[in-house]
Amino acid sequence: MFSPPSLRSPARISVLASGGGSNLQALIDHFAGPAAKAGAITFVASDQEGAGALGRARAAGIATGVIDAPRDSDAILSLLDTAKTDVLVLAGYLKLIPDGVVRAFHGRLLNVHPSLLPAFGGPGMYGTRIHAAVLARGVRLTGVTVHFVDDQFDRGPIIAQWPVPVRPDDDVATLAARVLQTEHQLLPICVEAVACGAITLGDDGRVYGEVGMPATLAPRTPR
Ligand code: GRF
């Protein structure tokens, strides 16, 4: 079986974000809290100089950087090497990660997506477009997926998925807000599990280990 890459303990976690950074904030809060043992958020970068995520990082005293060339593996790897990155997390990062970075961070590169992949994923499916498509399709259950990243949008091996019900009176805003709440819960748990080696990605592309689901979310087994 694939032996997990040698991770520092605690692991140094870098986060890439393009937007407001509420998922980043959930990570910052989790890893600043008493429950976190496996890592620390030590670097945040964005392809958007004015991204709210960078402001949140600065407010937390975390080093920040700007990605000027999102397709340039060497430039991104240089930023991440300077930050001594063990684990890389995409928290609302909207650019495709170049192959060189995907290869260098095999089994240590995670993304959060606000649907139950493979449904409602892939190029162009991001932000409120996802929830609009969910409502338009009339599905009754959506959710959150955290997965390892490969060279295609939203297609990598899945680490965990938690369900989120769609309510009859939902609009895009109410559904997006409910899904985002679940993202904020699931992403830190998955990052912690990868950072401590409890979840690994095998050379066979399979995910080893699992993240539990709260009893409130788990389907009740019929008596
Ligand atoms: C989240 O819904 C995330 O799943 C998606 O982009 C959004 C980012 O939100 N990739 P925030 O910037 O973390 O608030």
Side-chain angles (χ1 to χ4, degrees):
M1 185 185 120
F2 174 78
S3 58
S6 57
L7 295 174
R8 290 180 187 84
S9 178
R12 293 174 60 87
I13 302 164
S14 292
V15 182
L16 305 187
S18 302
S22 71
N23 272 294
L24 167 68
Q25 192 64 56
L27 290 168
I28 291 172
D29 296 346
H30 173 88
F31 285 99
K37 303 228 177 354
I41 309 295
T42 49
F43 180 64
V44 175
S46 179
D47 57 308
Q48 305 294 321
E49 203 160 349
L54 294 180
R56 292 179 188 262
R58 284 192 281 269
I62 298 170
T64 61
V66 176
I67 295 173
D68 297 314
R71 296 299 304 149
D72 182 343
S73 281
D74 293 342
I76 295 175
L77 286 173
S78 169
L79 270 179
L80 297 174
D81 287 353
T82 303
K84 299 185 175 64
T85 303
D86 293 306
V87 176
L88 179 59
V89 182
L90 309 183
Y93 184 69
L94 298 181
K95 303 288 190 200
L96 194 62
I97 298 294
D99 292 354
V101 178
V102 172
R103 281 195 301 274
F105 281 87
H106 178 83
R108 298 182 291 147
L109 171 49
L110 298 82
N111 180 51
V112 60
H113 183 82
S115 78
L116 294 177
L117 291 174
F120 304 104
M125 287 307 270
Y126 57 86
T128 55
R129 292 179 177 192
I130 296 168
H131 309 300
V134 164
L135 292 172
R137 183 64 186 82
V139 297
R140 292 283 177 255
L141 193 67
T142 186
V144 177
T145 301
V146 177
H147 61 94
F148 285 114
V149 173
D150 68 8
D151 55 353
Q152 308 269 327
F153 273 119
D154 306 328
R155 205 204 57 171
I158 291 174
I159 295 170
Q161 294 185 303
W162 282 2
V164 176
V166 181
R167 298 204 174 120
D169 59 347
D170 266 329
D171 60 20
V172 170
T174 57
L175 182 57
R178 189 176 314 120
V179 174
L180 197 56
Q181 270 186 325
T182 301
E183 292 181 61
H184 293 167
Q185 294 172 305
L186 181 55
L187 181 59
I189 293 171
C190 291
V191 174
E192 180 94 26
V194 170
C196 72
I199 286 193
T200 55
L201 176 60
D203 279 343
D204 56 1
R206 286 184 57 203
V207 175
Y208 293 88
E210 67 172 332
V211 165
M213 196 183 292
T216 49
L217 293 178
R220 279 183 289 281
T221 47
R223 292 185 187 289

